[in-house]
Amino acid sequence: MNADQILSFDPETRRKLWNQLMESIEDYLERVPEANPSPVSDLENLRTMLAEQDFNQQINPEHAMDFVIRNLWENQVHTPHPRYFGLFNPATTSMGIAADALAAAFNPQLATINHSPFAVEVERHLVHTFGQRFGYKSEEVDGTFTNAGAEANHTALITALTHQFPDFARKGLRGLERQPVLYLSNQSHHSLVKAARLCGLGSDAIHWIPVNDRLQLEVNVLERQIAQDRADGFAPFLVVATAGTTNAGVVDPIASVAEIASRERLWLHVDAAWGGAVVFIPELSDLIKGIEQADSITFDAHKWLSVPMAAGMYLTRHPQVLSQAFRITAEYMPTAAEGEGFIDPYTHSIQWSRRFIGLKVFLSLLVAGWEGYRQVIQHQVELGDLMREKLAEAMWEVVNPTPLPVVCFTNPNLSQVEEEKTLEGILREVLDSGKAWISITRLDKNRPVLRACITNYRTKAEDIQILVEELNNARERLKKR
Ligand SMILES: Cc1ncc(COP(=O)(O)O)c(C=O)c1O
């Protein structure tokens, strides 16, 4: 067999493979609503079965595909299930699925504009379009697609350090006179802690700000902490506000944080990985007012825009800062782009070689349009209201104050010890029912709560009804034990 036959096959075998692929994708999408959203995996068995795959025999493509498809069906939480009330992992758009296949086949290399002018310019167009949606001026917007939100947050820390400390890019942290510190609320995403470690700041450089009883960053404490830190000889440089916390879907008071950041000359980063999507809903966009003052923004299209993982975006209103942080020249790379404003992505981001991340956003948006997304997101927001209503009717206590569709709730009037045990029991019952997936999280002061997020555009009112009935039944069953 020649190399082509080994890796790419003859046209007839390929056609069969593509048919099998398309059939199995369509079969999954049609049948997954009837499946158990969280089948239980036997991890020991899984490992043993995989150990048998020692790659010493060649398997035909059809059998190899069957093996993987069967195991994906049986061994994953089905995030595309309409009753996966989960962790910002949506069902994916059909255009997004098609886009990922195209990106794999055409395999454009997005390191340089020379290799992939269409792909690079599509991403640039999207970055500008999204930046402007968030309120940046067109001449200011810059940004980059990232692997995901964690990388966008990491990029935010690097650019904040680069901008605030002109010596940072050359001398690193050791060249700075004072220890830089940054401010996160205790509800911020933990990828920012990793980012602090990755930048060499260490997690002690994070000064944690408590939240108020609405679970929002406490701005008075922030102000006092900055003053104290300056008096103690630290160099405050960054504050992060979250638009849609992971735990509770709460939006920090961005405009107030922006005012403090501006007065104190701190870089303001808004982590809008999930909640940034409210920018598409005129009735809700005021929730994130002030985001246009952010020096940088994280937005994940693989969350509320429902494109396949992973499609993060880092946006900024400082058009020079990415180049200051990442510019590099390499002799073997094709000559840098000629002309004003044409940029080689490898000089502009953490990644070097990378896939065409923006295509799934571009194709999804081309077909759905802003209006399509507005309708979808609005519908999910309304289902969140419905869930709060149904839970209240059934005497559950909703504890997170947000109009967004993340609902944290508990069984009222229980002591902390009882609450812990009861919620664990209810969670187990719901998961064992095979009807829905929800989770437990801990809010401020470590209080455990059940959490359900409408993350799937296929979720309907009857799915909410089924979940609430399941919760009520689980509570009754536990009372009788
Ligand atoms: C608010 C927030 N920021 C950042 C992230 C990290 O995003 P990713 O998982 O895409 O890396 C998440 C993940 O859920 C998140 O909720």
Side-chain angles (χ1 to χ4, degrees):
M1 278 211 277
N2 64 30
D4 209 20
Q5 285 163 332
I6 295 170
L7 296 181
S8 182
F9 325 130
D10 57 76
E12 195 190 335
T13 310
R14 272 205 304 268
R15 285 222 150 74
K16 267 206 213 142
L17 175 63
W18 307 145
N19 284 337
Q20 184 188 12
L21 174 70
M22 283 188 299
E23 284 302 323
S24 42
I25 290 175
E26 187 50 35
D27 180 53
Y28 181 64
L29 297 181
E30 285 179 21
R31 288 201 298 120
V32 73
E34 311 309 324
N36 176 347
S38 54
V40 180
S41 295
D42 179 335
L43 292 180
E44 291 296 335
N45 263 355
L46 206 53
R47 204 169 263 188
T48 312
M49 176 185 69
L50 284 172
E52 286 163 13
Q53 305 296 335
D54 59 8
F55 315 112
N56 287 327
Q57 281 98 40
Q58 294 173 328
I59 299 177
N60 79 38
E62 191 184 341
H63 289 160
M65 290 284 281
D66 277 342
F67 175 78
V68 168
I69 292 162
R70 190 176 65 250
N71 275 295
L72 286 172
W73 264 107
E74 291 172 4
N75 295 290
Q76 70 169 30
V77 173
H78 293 295
T79 55
H81 194 289
R83 287 190 300 284
Y84 168 73
F85 294 102
L87 304 173
F88 302 158
N89 301 308
T92 48
T93 63
S94 296
M95 294 313 291
I97 298 170
D100 260 3
L102 283 178
F106 281 76
N107 205 24
Q109 163 60 292
L110 269 83
T112 66
I113 193 167
N114 165 300
H115 268 42
S116 307
F118 175 68
V120 169
E121 284 300 302
V122 164
E123 290 201 347
R124 181 187 173 276
H125 177 55
L126 288 169
V127 158
H128 276 251
T129 305
F130 277 91
Q132 287 176 64
R133 287 270 346 165
F134 283 114
Y136 286 165
K137 297 192 185 108
S138 67
E139 66 278 13
E140 287 175 354
V141 185
D142 195 22
T144 176
F145 272 84
T146 59
N147 184 36
E151 186 194 327
N153 282 342
H154 186 186
T155 305
L157 259 70
I158 295 171
T159 50
L161 282 166
T162 304
H163 185 266
Q164 300 291 95
F165 304 102
D167 279 347
F168 170 73
R170 204 164 49 87
K171 295 187 179 165
L173 291 174
R174 291 182 61 188
L176 307 184
E177 279 167 22
R178 289 177 299 144
Q179 162 76 42
V181 289
L182 65 145
Y183 303 96
L184 304 182
S185 101
N186 62 21
Q187 297 293 303
S188 303
H189 194 264
H190 288 76
S191 56
L192 291 154
V193 179
K194 275 199 207 178
R197 291 191 197 138
L198 289 167
C199 288
L201 285 160
S203 50
D204 280 355
I206 301 168
H207 288 191
W208 295 96
I209 306 298
V211 290
N212 60 22
D213 56 3
R214 300 186 64 75
L215 299 169
Q216 296 171 307
L217 184 142
E218 183 67 86
V219 282
N220 297 332
V221 180
L222 172 67
E223 270 190 303
R224 283 202 299 275
Q225 186 67 48
I226 295 169
Q228 181 66 51
D229 287 343
R230 289 207 200 283
D232 290 346
F234 290 110
F237 78 103
L238 164 69
V239 56
V240 179
T242 308
T245 55
T246 320
N247 261 340
V250 164
V251 179
D252 283 328
I254 300 173
S256 309
V257 180
E259 209 182 298
I260 296 172
S262 155
R263 196 181 329 124
E264 297 287 341
R265 295 183 313 283
L266 306 191
W267 183 276
L268 169 64
H269 178 65
V270 177
D271 180 354
W274 176 70
V278 299
V279 80
F280 302 116
I281 308 185
E283 297 83 350
L284 284 181
S285 57
D286 266 4
L287 257 187
I288 57 168
K289 210 166 164 188
I291 197 166
E292 68 288 350
Q293 295 172 63
D295 295 285
S296 56
I297 298 171
T298 286
F299 180 64
D300 270 353
H302 62 259
K303 292 192 163 66
W304 220 343
L305 298 196
S306 301
V307 307
M309 282 177 276
M313 268 182 244
Y314 164 92
L315 304 167
T316 178
R317 61 181 173 84
H318 297 273
Q320 300 306 325
V321 78
L322 282 170
S323 291
Q324 285 160 357
F326 299 112
R327 182 148 204 90
I328 204 96
T329 45
E331 309 68 49
Y332 54 84
M333 294 300 274
T335 322
E338 300 276 330
E340 186 77 5
F342 293 102
I343 286 166
D344 288 324
Y346 85 101
T347 66
H348 214 62
S349 66
I350 293 176
Q351 297 187 39
W352 200 290
S353 294
R354 73 165 169 84
R355 72 191 269 117
F356 190 0
I357 300 170
L359 183 58
K360 48 200 163 193
V361 184
F362 187 64
L363 276 178
S364 300
L365 203 44
L366 271 184
V367 173
W370 298 121
E371 176 52 21
Y373 270 113
R374 191 196 62 74
Q375 285 177 27
V376 169
I377 291 165
Q378 176 74 39
H379 177 64
Q380 287 174 264
V381 169
E382 285 164 10
L383 288 182
D385 291 340
L386 179 70
M387 187 181 303
R388 282 186 276 269
E389 197 182 303
K390 295 278 167 213
L391 287 170
E393 275 169 21
M395 306 302 287
W396 296 89
E397 182 193 356
V398 174
V399 296
N400 60 327
T402 181
L404 304 184
V406 178
V407 188
C408 298
F409 55 101
T410 184
N411 201 6
N413 308 322
L414 296 172
S415 70
Q416 171 126 17
V417 179
E418 283 172 328
E419 196 169 42
E420 195 94 32
K421 235 177 86 201
T422 311
L423 297 187
E424 283 290 343
I426 292 171
L427 175 70
R428 189 72 346 256
E429 293 269 325
V430 171
L431 298 183
D432 288 351
S433 76
K435 292 197 178 145
W437 194 94
I438 57 170
S439 58
I440 282 193
T441 187
R442 284 168 190 282
L443 297 183
D444 195 27
K445 310 205 172 49
N446 222 17
R447 183 182 185 186
V449 288
L450 291 165
R451 178 188 180 283
C453 172
I454 291 122
T455 168
N456 186 325
Y457 60 82
R458 288 205 193 91
T459 305
K460 299 194 180 68
E462 50 265 36
D463 295 306
I464 306 285
Q465 189 66 39
I466 292 170
L467 171 64
V468 177
E469 272 166 23
E470 231 8 87
L471 286 161
N472 296 343
N473 293 342
R475 184 170 58 181
E476 285 311 308
R477 281 197 296 272
L478 281 175
K479 259 194 215 154
K480 289 186 187 140
R481 277 188 205 152

